[in-house]
Amino acid sequence: MENKEIKTDQRIIVGATGASGSPLLIECLRQIRDTAGYEAELILTTAAELTLRQESDVTLEEVKGLAVRTYAIDSIGAPPASGSYPTAGMVIVPCSMHTLAGIHSGFSDNLLLRAADVTIKEGRRLVLAVRESPLSAIHLRNM
């Protein structure tokens, strides 16, 4: 009999910000859910929730249902804030320039930024789907 338990190194933290691109978030969560052995844990900013309502017919509850766990943005002590919480990495989709700047500067004032900081500190993969165009010299420097 096959063991269906998720390995901790197959847990992916998925963050979303208020940048345009909610359909990308939804598809990313679906792809993780549909990949055997992987699971997504979700962190949404307040702006991400607002943008989702404006860009999609998918409800917030439906999006949260695509993840095995959802964390409040202000839950700075939640498991993804700790380097001892094993993950395969993190993706932020969409990623606003505000969040990119916070990651670049190490300004971890919410769970999403703290989880990204920990992901980098632990040498895990961090993928940012930045959603801005045209890019300024500041954006490029932060990248």
Side-chain angles (χ1 to χ4, degrees):
M1 177 174 264
E2 184 180 339
N3 184 355
K4 300 244 181 201
E5 187 174 315
I6 300 296
K7 294 180 185 177
T8 56
D9 63 347
Q10 293 178 306
R11 176 186 302 133
I12 300 172
I13 305 299
V14 177
T17 69
S20 180
S22 296
L24 296 173
L25 166 65
I26 294 164
E27 185 58 26
C28 179
L29 288 168
R30 286 179 178 152
Q31 290 292 323
I32 294 169
R33 179 199 63 196
D34 295 344
T35 302
Y38 282 86
E39 64 182 23
E41 295 188 0
L42 182 61
I43 305 168
L44 296 166
T45 66
T46 304
E49 292 179 9
L50 177 66
T51 303
L52 177 68
R53 286 188 209 101
Q54 294 172 344
E55 289 186 342
S56 176
D57 293 332
V58 179
T59 68
L60 179 59
E61 288 67 34
E62 289 171 318
V63 170
K64 288 180 177 181
L66 295 170
V68 295
R69 272 172 226 81
T70 300
Y71 300 101
I73 192 67
D74 60 350
S75 298
I76 200 71
S82 173
S84 64
Y85 189 64
T87 70
M90 180 174 184
V91 59
I92 302 176
V93 55
C95 182
S96 67
M97 290 299 130
H98 176 265
T99 297
L100 174 65
I103 293 167
H104 175 262
S105 67
F107 185 70
S108 301
D109 70 338
N110 63 42
L111 180 58
L112 180 69
L113 290 170
R114 175 66 185 144
D117 188 25
V118 165
T119 298
I120 293 168
K121 176 181 70 80
E122 294 298 323
R124 299 174 185 147
R125 290 187 179 108
L126 175 63
V127 176
L128 306 178
V130 295
R131 298 284 299 152
E132 187 74 33
S133 183
L135 295 170
S136 75
I138 295 168
H139 299 151
L140 293 170
R141 184 176 61 238
N142 285 343
M143 291 173 147

